[in-house]
Amino acid sequence: MLHWLHAQWKRKEADRQRQWDEETSATVTQARKVDVGVVSFTPLVQPQIQQPFKLVEKVVRNIFQFRRKHCYKGVEKLFPEACRMELTQEMMQKADVDPILRPTELTIPHIRALADAYAHLCTNEPSLLSYEFREELRQKHLTGQKHIPMDAFIGTPTGTPPSPEQPC
């Protein structure tokens, strides 16, 4: 009887070991479906967008922060809330870009046109370059206001008191 129990135990143990070996070998030997490649970027001698890097970066960053929404949503964030609609509409018209395109659908010529239009608006109102919408949100949160006048942000670097002299 003892011999029979020992034989049963050995069979069960061998079955467990065989099952474990099959499971682990299946996971270890399974081929992974991964493509790997190395990409290197070489800057163009002549950039495709003839604007300062900081300006282009700001425009692209704002547009792509809402990459699943229409591109005008990101463009809106380039401007203070007080004049956001008017300046967004003016920039989109000047760039001749369809406002309902998604950021991933924009081409280099679209982005160039948007950067050029933003540069034109910044030429007329230089304080737009220093505007950051997150600072406006932070100020709203701190003061509990629903709407902060535009002159509180235009032309003032982060953390400095607002200047009421600069209109939208």
Side-chain angles (χ1 to χ4, degrees):
M1 178 84 158
L2 189 57
H3 180 64
W4 181 80
L5 283 175
H6 182 66
Q8 284 287 78
W9 180 82
K10 289 266 272 177
R11 254 187 251 119
K12 283 184 181 178
E13 192 61 34
D15 287 343
R16 278 194 213 115
Q17 184 64 36
R18 195 175 317 110
Q19 184 180 6
W20 188 83
D21 286 345
E22 288 171 3
E23 288 173 3
T24 57
S25 68
T27 58
V28 172
T29 59
Q30 219 171 33
R32 307 271 168 127
K33 294 177 181 166
V34 177
D35 288 335
V36 178
V38 176
V39 178
S40 62
F41 294 100
T42 307
L44 296 172
V45 175
Q46 185 68 28
Q48 291 189 21
I49 300 174
Q50 301 295 320
Q51 294 296 338
F53 176 78
K54 288 282 190 190
L55 183 139
V56 176
E57 180 186 33
K58 183 177 180 181
V59 170
V60 171
R61 184 175 12 95
N62 276 277
I63 291 171
F64 278 90
Q65 76 179 342
F66 302 115
R67 66 180 169 273
R68 295 182 134 187
K69 297 197 181 291
H70 298 138
C71 65
Y72 80 89
K73 285 291 191 188
V75 170
E76 284 179 341
K77 302 302 181 192
L78 290 167
F79 308 109
E81 191 174 11
C83 55
R84 186 169 285 162
M85 290 301 140
E86 303 86 42
L87 291 177
T88 300
Q89 186 177 13
E90 184 179 341
M91 182 171 158
M92 297 304 288
Q93 286 174 346
K94 199 174 287 301
D96 193 27
V97 173
D98 183 1
I100 62 168
L101 284 176
R102 302 204 185 282
T104 54
E105 298 171 328
L106 295 174
T107 62
I108 296 292
H110 287 135
I111 293 172
R112 179 187 315 120
L114 288 167
D116 289 344
Y118 185 64
H120 177 75
L121 291 172
C122 289
T123 302
N124 295 338
E125 184 59 63
S127 57
L128 287 174
L129 276 174
S130 63
Y131 173 75
E132 289 293 332
F133 84 97
R134 283 186 173 82
E135 181 62 22
E136 185 174 11
L137 288 177
R138 189 178 78 74
Q139 289 291 331
K140 278 185 185 180
H141 179 72
L142 290 175
T143 61
Q145 289 182 337
K146 296 262 188 241
H147 177 74
I148 294 181
M150 189 192 118
D151 60 349
F153 302 101
I154 296 277
T156 60
T158 305
T160 60
S163 167
E165 301 155 15
Q166 298 191 340
C168 186

